[in-house]
Amino acid sequence: MKILSVENKVTFENLQKPTMSLIASFYEMSDEVKEIFADMLAIYDAHPTEETSQKISDKIMGRESAEDKKNWIKEQAAGIFPPVRLAAKKKYLDQKQPVPKGLPTSGMLLVGLDVVSRAQKDLLMEAQAAARLISHVDVLDPYQPKTNYQNADGTVENAFLDKPFATKMQRLEHLVNAVVNDILTQHDEKGHSVLNENDIIALTRQSCRQNSFLQKARNEGIKTLIATATLLEKTNPTVSQKIDDLAHSLIGDKEINNNRLSPEDYQSLKTQVKNRPIESLVEHRTKQILSMDASLLQKALLKNQSNR
């Protein structure tokens, strides 16, 4: 991986954060929303109970309009002793202390008050999966040897990716993460007694650079970042530019346009991991991804036919 500029490195790291921290990294709070945020936390600090946090969370993430949510917060905060409100503002805005467990984070508030639309949130989550995938292939994440990729009930780990809302990039990111971990595990198995951790990481990085499937998957991640930047251009040009700059810095001198994963690549991967602990996970995620590709192709064909 090329050495990134400071700006691109920050963007790359921000994109890999948990979803609400991700949103808070790219969308600024207006002064009004900052006041709402401080008042929301003052309401909790005045009565720090699980019931209070649940009540606030239900309100912010509920289906009422943003204006109704703001008015509710203002009404609740109006009855709080002024020093408590000032203390909350200093604590959570000035000192940036973490939000108590169970309460909406700043990112959740931005979504709950429609500062960030669901579509924008979904785009950032797609970029999140792409950035994480690239980080896996470049072996920038901490890995430990692993010999089991199943839950106690025999299902594949990260079962939430079996839900209909999971995207291809999210599933591919999980698949790639597991493949890299398996490569590291194999190097650890072969050289456990003579190699140190840094040696194993170096060998894993070299294997990933030489692995056609992983390099093509990396290209898919870069193309997803570019597509995300394009789709965000009208609604948030600043964020769009940051993601686009990062994507092009990750390409380097490589050609990515015609270097896509094909069904044959997935079949080759399944052959590579035959009789490995990862085999069932690869089979499961590959089947899902290829099914999604087939569905998209069918829709495209039907659209072309209807346009004739």
Side-chain angles (χ1 to χ4, degrees):
M1 179 176 170
K2 288 177 61 179
I3 297 176
L4 299 177
S5 67
V6 173
E7 293 81 3
N8 284 329
K9 188 171 186 293
V10 169
T11 300
F12 192 47
E13 290 171 352
N14 283 340
L15 281 173
Q16 296 177 66
K17 290 179 178 179
T19 302
M20 291 308 168
S21 297
L22 161 75
I23 291 168
S25 296
F26 287 103
Y27 286 81
E28 291 290 331
M29 281 189 175
S30 66
D31 288 341
E32 181 195 20
V33 175
K34 285 179 181 178
E35 289 292 331
I36 294 292
F37 184 61
D39 279 346
M40 176 190 79
L41 290 160
I43 294 168
Y44 175 79
D45 281 358
H47 302 284
T49 66
E50 186 176 338
E51 182 182 0
T52 303
S53 64
Q54 188 65 55
K55 187 177 181 181
I56 293 171
S57 184
D58 288 346
K59 176 61 67 173
I60 295 300
M61 304 313 294
R63 295 191 176 188
E64 295 180 16
S65 70
E67 278 308 308
D68 285 343
K69 293 174 184 178
K70 290 176 186 177
N71 290 334
W72 183 84
I73 292 289
K74 290 174 182 176
E75 289 169 5
Q76 296 293 314
I80 295 173
F81 193 43
V84 174
R85 295 178 72 180
L86 286 172
K89 187 173 182 180
K90 181 178 180 180
K91 182 178 177 181
Y92 299 109
L93 289 181
D94 300 338
Q95 298 176 354
K96 300 185 184 301
Q97 292 192 30
V99 173
K101 186 177 179 180
L103 285 171
T105 61
S106 56
M108 292 171 74
L109 187 68
L110 289 170
V111 172
L113 297 183
D114 297 332
V115 176
V116 180
S117 69
R118 181 175 294 276
Q120 289 171 313
K121 178 171 83 71
D122 289 346
L123 282 172
L124 281 180
M125 288 181 69
E126 195 71 345
Q128 175 193 62
R132 288 175 175 177
L133 183 153
I134 293 164
S135 187
H136 300 327
V137 177
D138 293 347
V139 197
L140 303 177
D141 308 297
Y143 284 103
Q144 292 293 328
K146 187 174 179 179
T147 57
N148 181 35
Y149 296 85
Q150 293 181 315
N151 300 313
D153 61 1
T155 58
V156 168
E157 64 180 17
N158 289 17
F160 69 93
L161 290 173
D162 295 334
K163 302 288 186 183
F165 57 73
T167 68
K168 174 184 174 179
M169 183 50 60
Q170 289 171 330
R171 287 168 172 165
L172 182 59
E173 182 262 319
H174 179 224
L175 173 61
V176 164
N177 189 27
V179 170
V180 173
N181 210 333
D182 187 61
I183 290 172
L184 178 136
T185 301
Q186 291 182 69
H187 285 305
D188 181 75
E189 290 168 348
K190 292 173 184 175
H192 183 73
S193 59
V194 293
L195 297 177
N196 61 35
E197 184 178 348
N198 288 336
D199 291 332
I200 292 170
I201 290 292
L203 284 170
T204 302
R205 201 166 277 145
Q206 181 181 8
S207 295
C208 289
R209 283 196 294 266
Q210 296 170 348
N211 187 296
S212 175
F213 181 90
L214 291 178
Q215 290 304 312
K216 287 183 180 181
R218 187 181 189 278
N219 292 337
E220 298 278 357
I222 292 173
K223 284 182 278 191
T224 295
L225 290 179
I226 293 171
T228 300
T230 300
L231 291 169
L232 283 171
E233 194 170 4
K234 289 184 178 179
T235 56
N236 196 324
T238 302
V239 174
S240 171
Q241 190 62 57
K242 286 181 179 180
I243 295 175
D244 191 65
D245 287 347
L246 170 65
H248 285 89
S249 73
L250 290 167
I251 296 172
D253 300 325
K254 295 180 180 179
E255 173 63 45
I256 69 166
N257 292 330
N258 299 316
N259 205 1
R260 303 181 64 91
L261 284 170
S262 66
E264 291 74 22
D265 290 314
Y266 286 99
Q267 186 57 50
S268 176
L269 176 65
K270 288 195 285 186
T271 301
Q272 290 174 35
V273 302
K274 195 75 174 174
N275 299 322
R276 294 289 304 162
I278 196 179
E279 182 178 7
S280 61
L281 184 150
V282 170
E283 178 67 36
H284 184 68
R285 291 283 174 245
T286 293
K287 184 177 180 180
Q288 288 178 323
I289 291 167
L290 290 177
S291 177
M292 293 176 83
D293 282 348
S295 178
L296 287 173
L297 179 60
Q298 182 65 23
K299 287 179 181 177
L301 290 173
L302 290 173
K303 185 177 181 180
N304 286 337
Q305 290 174 357
S306 65
N307 290 335
R308 287 178 182 174

